[in-house]
């Protein structure tokens, strides 16, 4: 009974999920920042080759363009980090007494409850890049769910969840739903 009381509070997906979101979102800002540094490093050569026929105002325009590029890349990095944090912090789950509940969203809040009796299987999928970051995809298949129906499947899917949290959640869900965990052994 103590396990149910402990699990009644909202649980997070693991801090690695935030790092995953952040990594995927800051690539554009990082590329802009690298381009800014390269252009700044070779500014004198670029100005002399491109703007050789223009006057001194062209150098001033180039300085403003570089400053604008730095500001834009900084704003992109900051906004992507904030979006990543909101996405991470606003996705929680609860292992209740009779159902598994998932809360998602910041502006468009969505809560889905999956009764344990409807859970047929829980699987963990690892891609190479996810495995390198310590995250995975958790899929909860329910009764009456068509595998080709992406809308019906979406409520039982965590696209990104920390691997250790996913393994514990899988074991808890399978135990509560009374589904036997089967392991298939292929040809050796």
């Amino acid at each position: 009974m103590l396990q149910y009381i402990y699990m009644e509070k909202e649980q997070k997906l693991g801090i690695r999920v935030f790092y995953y979101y952040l990594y995927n979102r800051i690539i554009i800002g990082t590329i802009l920042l690298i381009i800014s540094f390269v252009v700044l490093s070779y500014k004198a050569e670029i100005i002399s080759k491109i703007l050789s026929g223009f006057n001194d105002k062209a150098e001033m325009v180039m300085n403003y363009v570089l400053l604008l590029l730095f500001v834009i890349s900084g704003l992109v990095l900051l906004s992507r980090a904030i979006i990543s944090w909101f996405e991470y912090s606003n996705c929680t789950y609860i292992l209740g007494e009779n159902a598994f509940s998932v809360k998602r969203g910041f502006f468009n809040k969505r809560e889905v409850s999956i009764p344990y009796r409807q859970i047929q299987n829980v699987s963990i999928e690892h891609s190479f890049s996810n495995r390198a970051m310590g995250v995975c995809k958790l899929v909860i298949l329910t009764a009456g769910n068509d595998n080709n129906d992406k809308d019906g499947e979406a409520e039982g899917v965590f696209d990104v969840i920390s691997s250790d949290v996913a393994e514990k959640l899988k074991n808890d869900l399978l135990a509560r739903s009374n589904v036997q965990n089967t392991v298939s052994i292929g040809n050796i």
Side-chain angles (χ1 to χ4, degrees):
M1 187 68 179
L2 289 175
Q3 184 177 10
Y4 286 114
I5 293 171
Y6 170 74
M7 297 306 285
E8 284 289 328
K9 69 177 198 169
E10 290 183 348
Q11 303 292 314
K12 293 286 184 188
L13 304 179
I15 192 67
R16 290 181 180 166
V17 173
F18 169 66
Y19 297 141
Y20 180 83
Y21 289 149
L22 186 63
Y23 169 77
N24 284 335
R25 290 209 168 82
I26 65 170
I27 291 174
I28 295 171
T30 306
I31 291 171
L32 284 174
L33 199 58
I34 291 170
I35 290 171
S36 300
F37 281 120
V38 169
V39 170
L40 184 63
S41 299
Y42 296 105
K43 181 176 87 168
E45 290 85 5
I46 293 171
I47 289 174
S48 67
K49 288 181 182 177
I50 296 176
L51 306 175
S52 61
F54 297 101
N55 57 14
D56 291 336
K57 290 186 180 184
E59 185 175 350
M60 187 176 68
V61 170
M62 182 71 163
N63 288 334
Y64 284 127
V65 168
L66 280 175
L67 179 65
L68 183 65
L69 191 59
F70 272 116
V71 169
I72 289 173
S73 60
L75 289 175
V76 167
L77 287 172
L78 182 64
S79 66
R80 297 295 188 142
I82 291 170
I83 290 169
S84 297
W85 178 255
F86 278 130
E87 190 171 354
Y88 163 73
S89 63
N90 289 300
C91 185
T92 58
Y93 67 90
I94 300 173
L95 287 168
E97 190 172 340
N98 298 316
F100 172 69
S101 299
V102 180
K103 293 181 182 180
R104 292 185 177 140
F106 182 68
F107 292 112
N108 297 325
K109 294 192 182 276
R110 182 174 169 209
E111 183 174 351
V112 176
S113 292
I114 303 171
Y116 295 125
R117 68 180 183 280
Q118 289 185 344
I119 296 175
Q120 292 184 336
N121 191 17
V122 180
S123 64
I124 297 175
E125 300 172 5
H126 294 277
S127 69
F128 178 74
S129 61
N130 285 0
R131 191 173 298 151
M133 294 197 65
V135 295
C136 62
K137 180 178 181 177
L138 182 79
V139 180
I140 303 167
L141 295 176
T142 58
N145 185 12
D146 183 11
N147 287 338
N148 296 327
D149 181 20
K150 295 297 179 193
D151 292 335
E153 184 184 46
E155 57 196 34
V157 173
F158 288 107
D159 287 325
V160 182
I161 186 169
S162 185
S163 294
D164 52 343
V165 174
E167 194 63 42
K168 184 179 181 328
L169 185 58
K170 176 184 174 182
N171 293 335
D172 285 347
L173 287 173
L174 290 174
R176 291 172 189 234
S177 64
N178 295 321
V179 174
Q180 292 182 3
N181 191 7
T182 59
V183 177
S184 61
I185 300 175
N187 295 336
I188 297 177

